[in-house]
Amino acid sequence: LLLLDIPALLGADMSLITLTTDFGHADWFVGTTKGVILSIAPDTTIIDICHGAPPGDIRAAAFALAAAYKYFPQNTIHVAVVDPSVGGGRAALAVQTARYFFVGPDNGVLSMALENEKILAVHRLENAQYFLSPVSATFHGRDVFAPVAAHLARNLESLADMGPKQETYQKCPLPQHNQDGLLLRGSVAYIDRFGNAITDISNDAAGAAYQIVWCSKAAFPLKPCYTAMPVGHGVAVRGSSGFVEIAINRGNAAERFNLKVGDTVTVRHFDAKPMPTPL
Amino acid sequence: LLLLDIPALLGADMSLITLTTDFGHADWFVGTTKGVILSIAPDTTIIDICHGAPPGDIRAAAFALAAAYKYFPQNTIHVAVVDPSVGGGRAALAVQTARYFFVGPDNGVLSMALENEKILAVHRLENAQYFLSPVSATFHGRDVFAPVAAHLARNLESLADMGPKQETYQKCPLPQHNQDGLLLRGSVAYIDRFGNAITDISNDAAGAAYQIVWCSKAAFPLKPCYTAMPVGHGVAVRGSSGFVEIAINRGNAAERFNLKVGDTVTVRHFDAKPMPTPL
Amino acid sequence: LLLLDIPALLGADMSLITLTTDFGHADWFVGTTKGVILSIAPDTTIIDICHGAPPGDIRAAAFALAAAYKYFPQNTIHVAVVDPSVGGGRAALAVQTARYFFVGPDNGVLSMALENEKILAVHRLENAQYFLSPVSATFHGRDVFAPVAAHLARNLESLADMGPKQETYQKCPLPQHNQDGLLLRGSVAYIDRFGNAITDISNDAAGAAYQIVWCSKAAFPLKPCYTAMPVGHGVAVRGSSGFVEIAINRGNAAERFNLKVGDTVTVRHFDAKPMPTPL
């Protein structure tokens, strides 16, 4: 008896679920979601990636998930819920990749992470036996995505139990830029807490011979770290999320230069012709 | 020896404690409370319901706890601390219901949840051996409620060890409305992060024949989900917290209509006479 | 075989890591840090002390850590990351004290806590085999401090494995005041969520014969608790963080009196001559 019970008691299948949402921290939405998970899969560890995406901002949450997900252990179940069409027609998905599981609405919120992963299977969540009952029309994070993730965490059900396979998933529409050549064009993709403007130009594209980053309002030398420029000066760096970012050493670049998501950015190669100084 | 040690090591009594407070996330109050719990009951899982109630707003935290608590596993210990009279005369309570435990000041913060539960016992927290020593005059979340909850989580002490029984508990005073008939009257009870105004009119009261929600500023068709109205249009729904709420599809109703907690709301039955259009 | 496996499976070395940063909750920085820890040390419990220090505000985070750390179990690993010089020349440290471990940049963020502890060893983090690879120039919380803390949590490596010993650590420069005598002089050290202005004058210094707290804008009677004064009135208390604080019963003292960190404060003994009333 002892031997039989030990694996379950030991949490040999102990799982990790992450949450990325626009629920914020003021209300009970995140806590309730966790209560549902722990009611179904009590041994699960739940980690918040973040809940600060502006309400309904699919791209902000997709960016956050893409920046964070790969730092988690293999087999982590990543749940992302920004769901402005909840109760309408959008599908709900569970996706298995070579390293992880992803669960969320099929509206693009998973897509930036999935683009980096080898997709093994995409299934629609249609089997209501894995949902709470009844399912509300407005809070599928609690009623659909949390219980499905928890059932996956218990490792007793497979994706195929959750619903039919589908071929692909919705992408987050991104502006397409020319990101190689002497002038790499892109845009601001995310403004973080520190006022750093993270672009969609990858560090890999902006190699050592690229030296200046321009936005419409200023030029920033591309340096190894913030402190390569004096305190209060603008600086661009190859950022920790994998993309070039615009910053001020110990300052807030987004506030100072009124930078917004979508603003155009250019990274200039050493050999490119000088650009006119911004006004 | 091995056999004797296993139950404790396995965390067979592993417990879940939730926290609902007005402590916010900027300071160390929530973290310190968790440190105290884990010092006494190291195997406890601690989940934040939320800490965003406005400072001293007992009703906001009571509403959040009531919306969330029942999504947690049986025997969860729910701790709620909004405590503007800390150090003064209010009592401190531990309450056992058929499914859960509740710990907090006797000022109404537990009452909205308790109203839905079968109460088994109410005890005052007076046995200082379960408190930190010394007890500060200003932070009973850390010094009284956290250690009591942690001792309960260890499952070695009962409520009766904590202090004397009392008969009842303080209620959160709520405006009393006529909530049946052709016109259900109520008020806004909570504004959430999305700007949805959650009323105190229950979904059950507002059945299928109820079709319109009025506040003093606008009328909202009562629909199955936000997306039943076009983007940017007002809509009322039977909300996920169990109460009718006023929203804007992909918008912020509280901002647009300047809705506040306490604002009067009316839900109109199909058969009721039309109300005058709000100005 | 069973016997051999049990200690590891049981998490007999289960560890606790706390995080105190200026990362905020809006972005993925805290979540990513936790992912790194759990990738290396899956059985670790991670508790947020707080992430709300203003960007780059070393003193605010140092104060929060000092107020909270001692409420955690022995052997807790406290990680603090406010790191405005990341990528520049500052050292990174792991410190062992009689009761705890501390990990963070050598810029003062650990110092207010360390001042209360018996230091056993201070080591610089220079052994890159315990870092993520590559190490970014801008996010050492994720790439250096989290993996080092996780390796310490596994209890397989010692501080000496992390890098060379050094003698001391950077202090947070604090204004020096005369904190004994009939007039204790100090300053506001922290404003909390409730608008309470916590000073650097210790409760121990301000014993029972001290009766009044003055700031430049008002005088506050030093009382046992907030509710010793009527609602809306100013009051000083010996606060839960160990320091005298200025408050308003059910109000926000920092807003009302425009109190800021650094403002001068005086605590007056019963026997001291009266001070002129502030204007």
Side-chain angles (χ1 to χ4, degrees):
Chain A
L1 180 66
L2 179 65
L3 285 166
L4 282 173
D5 280 343
I6 280 193
L9 289 169
L10 290 177
D13 296 318
M14 196 178 80
S15 291
L16 183 54
I17 292 178
T18 76
L19 303 177
T20 306
T21 78
D22 63 349
F23 296 170
H25 286 279
D27 313 311
W28 57 87
F29 307 127
V30 173
T32 307
T33 301
K34 293 178 180 174
V36 170
I37 292 170
L38 295 174
S39 295
I40 295 167
D43 287 330
T44 306
T45 298
I46 308 171
I47 299 291
D48 301 302
I49 289 182
C50 54
H51 303 288
D57 189 336
I58 294 168
R59 288 180 56 178
F63 195 91
L65 177 62
Y69 80 94
K70 58 183 169 288
Y71 291 93
F72 285 83
Q74 196 158 350
N75 292 321
T76 294
I77 300 166
H78 294 292
V79 178
V81 188
V82 176
D83 203 9
S85 301
V86 60
R90 64 105 188 91
L93 296 184
V95 181
Q96 184 170 11
T97 72
R99 299 187 295 171
Y100 297 108
F101 296 87
F102 295 85
V103 175
D106 188 15
N107 61 11
V109 71
L110 304 175
S111 66
M112 290 191 200
L114 291 176
E115 277 159 37
N116 304 318
E117 290 294 296
K118 178 171 159 51
I119 310 286
L120 301 186
V122 180
H123 285 263
R124 281 202 301 284
L125 307 180
E126 296 189 352
N127 188 345
Q129 85 179 88
Y130 300 112
F131 305 163
L132 294 200
S133 174
V135 171
S136 71
T138 58
F139 192 4
H140 287 191
R142 178 190 70 189
D143 300 340
V144 173
F145 300 113
V148 163
H151 281 289
L152 292 175
R154 294 175 69 211
N155 217 356
L156 304 172
E157 288 89 12
S158 71
L159 252 62
D161 296 320
M162 302 297 159
K165 204 163 179 168
Q166 70 178 40
E167 284 308 303
T168 185
Y169 55 87
Q170 294 293 321
K171 308 290 192 298
C172 225
L174 283 175
Q176 294 301 314
H177 297 292
N178 172 15
Q179 294 197 349
D180 64 347
L182 295 180
L183 293 174
L184 311 180
R185 296 184 195 283
S187 55
V188 173
Y190 193 95
I191 309 280
D192 75 16
R193 189 219 186 182
F194 299 94
N196 298 339
I198 306 176
T199 74
D200 54 7
I201 301 170
S202 74
N203 293 340
D204 292 342
Y210 291 86
Q211 297 188 326
I212 307 262
V213 179
W214 300 76
C215 69
S216 62
K217 290 138 188 165
F220 301 81
L222 186 51
K223 294 286 188 184
C225 61
Y226 305 134
T227 55
M229 292 296 288
V231 169
H233 283 240
V235 59
V237 299
R238 294 172 189 91
S240 65
S241 59
F243 297 96
V244 171
E245 57 186 73
I246 292 171
I248 291 174
N249 184 12
R250 305 206 191 186
N252 187 308
E255 272 183 17
R256 169 102 70 90
F257 297 108
N258 191 28
L259 298 172
K260 308 276 184 219
V261 169
D263 284 359
T264 302
V265 175
T266 304
V267 179
R268 191 169 75 83
H269 190 278
F270 182 81
D271 292 334
K273 286 179 191 155
M275 297 175 74
T277 309
L279 298 180
Chain B
L1 182 65
L2 179 64
L3 286 166
L4 282 173
D5 280 343
I6 279 193
L9 288 169
L10 289 178
D13 295 318
M14 197 177 81
S15 291
L16 183 54
I17 292 178
T18 76
L19 303 177
T20 305
T21 78
D22 64 350
F23 296 169
H25 285 280
D27 313 311
W28 56 87
F29 307 127
V30 174
T32 307
T33 301
K34 294 177 181 175
V36 170
I37 291 170
L38 295 175
S39 294
I40 295 167
D43 287 329
T44 307
T45 297
I46 308 171
I47 298 291
D48 301 302
I49 289 182
C50 55
H51 302 288
D57 190 336
I58 293 168
R59 287 181 57 178
F63 194 91
L65 177 62
Y69 81 93
K70 59 183 168 288
Y71 291 92
F72 285 83
Q74 195 158 351
N75 293 322
T76 293
I77 300 165
H78 294 293
V79 178
V81 188
V82 176
D83 203 8
S85 301
V86 59
R90 65 104 187 93
L93 295 184
V95 181
Q96 183 170 11
T97 72
R99 298 186 295 170
Y100 297 110
F101 295 88
F102 295 85
V103 175
D106 187 15
N107 61 12
V109 71
L110 304 175
S111 65
M112 291 192 200
L114 290 176
E115 277 159 37
N116 303 318
E117 290 294 297
K118 178 170 158 52
I119 310 286
L120 300 185
V122 180
H123 285 263
R124 280 201 302 285
L125 307 180
E126 295 189 353
N127 188 344
Q129 84 179 88
Y130 300 112
F131 305 163
L132 292 201
S133 173
V135 171
S136 72
T138 59
F139 192 4
H140 288 191
R142 179 191 69 190
D143 299 340
V144 173
F145 301 113
V148 163
H151 281 290
L152 292 175
R154 294 174 69 209
N155 217 358
L156 303 173
E157 287 89 12
S158 72
L159 253 62
D161 296 321
M162 302 296 159
K165 206 165 178 166
Q166 70 178 39
E167 285 308 304
T168 185
Y169 54 88
Q170 294 293 321
K171 308 290 191 297
C172 223
L174 283 175
Q176 294 301 314
H177 298 292
N178 172 14
Q179 295 198 350
D180 65 348
L182 295 180
L183 293 174
L184 310 181
R185 296 184 196 281
S187 56
V188 173
Y190 193 95
I191 308 280
D192 76 14
R193 188 216 188 185
F194 299 94
N196 298 340
I198 307 175
T199 74
D200 55 6
I201 300 171
S202 74
N203 293 340
D204 292 342
Y210 291 85
Q211 297 188 326
I212 307 263
V213 179
W214 302 77
C215 68
S216 63
K217 291 138 187 164
F220 301 81
L222 185 52
K223 295 286 188 184
C225 61
Y226 305 133
T227 56
M229 292 297 287
V231 169
H233 284 241
V235 59
V237 298
R238 294 173 189 90
S240 64
S241 58
F243 297 95
V244 172
E245 56 186 76
I246 292 171
I248 291 174
N249 185 11
R250 305 206 192 187
N252 187 307
E255 273 183 16
R256 169 102 69 89
F257 297 108
N258 192 28
L259 298 171
K260 308 277 183 219
V261 169
D263 284 359
T264 302
V265 175
T266 304
V267 178
R268 190 168 76 82
H269 190 279
F270 182 80
D271 292 334
K273 287 181 189 151
M275 297 175 73
T277 309
L279 299 181
Chain C
L1 183 66
L2 179 65
L3 286 166
L4 282 172
D5 281 343
I6 279 192
L9 289 169
L10 289 178
D13 296 318
M14 197 177 79
S15 291
L16 182 54
I17 292 178
T18 77
L19 303 178
T20 306
T21 77
D22 63 350
F23 295 169
H25 285 279
D27 313 311
W28 57 87
F29 307 127
V30 173
T32 308
T33 301
K34 294 177 180 175
V36 170
I37 291 171
L38 295 174
S39 294
I40 295 167
D43 287 330
T44 306
T45 297
I46 308 171
I47 299 290
D48 301 301
I49 289 183
C50 55
H51 302 288
D57 190 336
I58 294 168
R59 287 180 58 177
F63 194 92
L65 177 62
Y69 81 94
K70 59 183 169 289
Y71 291 93
F72 285 83
Q74 195 157 350
N75 293 321
T76 294
I77 300 165
H78 294 293
V79 178
V81 188
V82 176
D83 203 9
S85 301
V86 60
R90 64 105 188 92
L93 295 184
V95 180
Q96 183 170 11
T97 72
R99 298 187 294 171
Y100 297 109
F101 296 87
F102 295 85
V103 175
D106 188 15
N107 62 11
V109 71
L110 304 176
S111 65
M112 290 191 199
L114 291 176
E115 276 158 38
N116 303 318
E117 290 294 297
K118 178 169 157 52
I119 311 286
L120 301 186
V122 180
H123 285 263
R124 280 201 303 283
L125 307 180
E126 295 189 353
N127 188 345
Q129 84 178 86
Y130 299 112
F131 305 163
L132 293 201
S133 175
V135 171
S136 72
T138 59
F139 192 4
H140 287 190
R142 179 191 70 190
D143 300 340
V144 173
F145 300 113
V148 163
H151 281 290
L152 292 174
R154 293 175 69 210
N155 217 357
L156 304 172
E157 287 89 11
S158 71
L159 252 63
D161 295 321
M162 302 296 160
K165 204 164 179 168
Q166 69 178 40
E167 285 308 303
T168 185
Y169 55 87
Q170 294 293 321
K171 308 290 191 298
C172 226
L174 283 175
Q176 294 302 313
H177 297 292
N178 172 14
Q179 295 197 348
D180 65 348
L182 295 181
L183 293 174
L184 311 180
R185 295 185 195 282
S187 55
V188 173
Y190 193 95
I191 308 280
D192 74 16
R193 189 216 187 184
F194 299 95
N196 299 339
I198 307 175
T199 73
D200 55 5
I201 301 170
S202 74
N203 294 341
D204 292 343
Y210 291 86
Q211 297 188 326
I212 307 261
V213 179
W214 301 76
C215 69
S216 63
K217 290 138 187 166
F220 301 82
L222 186 51
K223 295 285 187 184
C225 62
Y226 304 134
T227 56
M229 293 296 288
V231 169
H233 284 240
V235 58
V237 299
R238 294 173 190 89
S240 65
S241 58
F243 297 96
V244 172
E245 55 185 75
I246 292 171
I248 292 174
N249 184 12
R250 305 205 191 187
N252 186 308
E255 273 183 17
R256 168 102 70 89
F257 296 107
N258 191 28
L259 299 171
K260 309 277 184 219
V261 169
D263 283 359
T264 302
V265 175
T266 304
V267 178
R268 191 169 76 84
H269 190 278
F270 182 81
D271 292 334
K273 286 180 192 154
M275 297 174 74
T277 308
L279 298 181

